[in-house]
Amino acid sequence: MQLDKFTDYGLRVLIYLRVSGQRRASVSEIAGKFDLSEHHLSKVATALASGGFVTSTRGRAGGLSLAKPAKDILIGAVVRSLTRNISVAECFAGNGACAITPACGLRGPLVEAQEAFFKVLDGYNLEDVSGQGAALAALLDIESASALDEPV
């Protein structure tokens, strides 16, 4: 299974916020660090906020911050929330696009594989995947990341 760009960007935003500590980060700031479209990243941020993973505060002192401690943000939950099309093959879509769907035995193993994919991701949280905070902070040029503080 392959992550779409939307989900990939969402995971990057979460890692960035985790490494940033308790300070808020703007969509513009994050987009600049990853060389991504600010417009597209704002849609990702909206989806992360809707999923309960980040809080978004408006105004001069506003920005994005983690909505809960990194250890409570499961990567599987984030991927499920952000992935727009989790269909591994056309037969999952239910639109009858594949002529052999009624007699095909491949659907069962594909469902099993997809469930295994999410089960593995459910075993990791944001704290796990951002464990090399100092190295990540250096790569992203984030100064205030020396102590990976959790949100209050």
Side-chain angles (χ1 to χ4, degrees):
M1 200 168 157
Q2 182 175 352
L3 298 180
D4 59 15
K5 286 182 181 181
F6 194 84
T7 304
D8 175 27
Y9 297 169
L11 292 169
R12 290 189 210 186
V13 167
L14 291 174
I15 289 170
Y16 187 90
L17 293 174
R18 163 72 169 135
V19 173
S20 293
Q22 290 189 14
R23 75 173 185 82
R24 291 186 183 103
S26 69
V27 169
S28 177
E29 172 188 335
I30 299 168
K33 295 291 184 176
F34 289 110
D35 195 26
L36 301 173
S37 159
E38 189 175 333
H39 177 73
H40 189 65
L41 207 59
S42 68
K43 292 179 183 180
V44 171
T46 298
L48 286 169
S50 295
F53 304 109
V54 302
T55 56
S56 178
T57 306
R58 293 181 177 225
R60 256 187 342 144
L64 301 173
S65 58
L66 295 178
K68 49 190 165 185
K71 66 181 175 51
D72 295 335
I73 299 176
L74 296 181
I75 300 304
V78 174
V79 172
R80 277 186 196 90
S81 175
L82 296 181
T83 302
R84 294 175 174 182
N85 179 13
I86 58 172
S87 299
V88 177
E90 283 186 36
C91 57
F92 286 78
N95 60 4
C98 181
I100 65 169
T101 297
C104 181
L106 187 58
R107 192 164 199 258
L110 290 176
V111 167
E112 189 177 338
Q114 182 174 325
E115 289 172 5
F117 175 79
F118 284 116
K119 184 176 181 180
V120 168
L121 293 178
D122 285 337
Y124 295 90
N125 60 44
L126 183 58
E127 188 174 278
D128 298 329
V129 302
S130 60
Q132 295 184 21
L136 288 168
L139 289 168
L140 294 168
D141 195 26
I142 301 173
E143 295 177 24
S144 66
S146 57
L148 294 172
D149 296 326
E150 294 294 336
V152 183

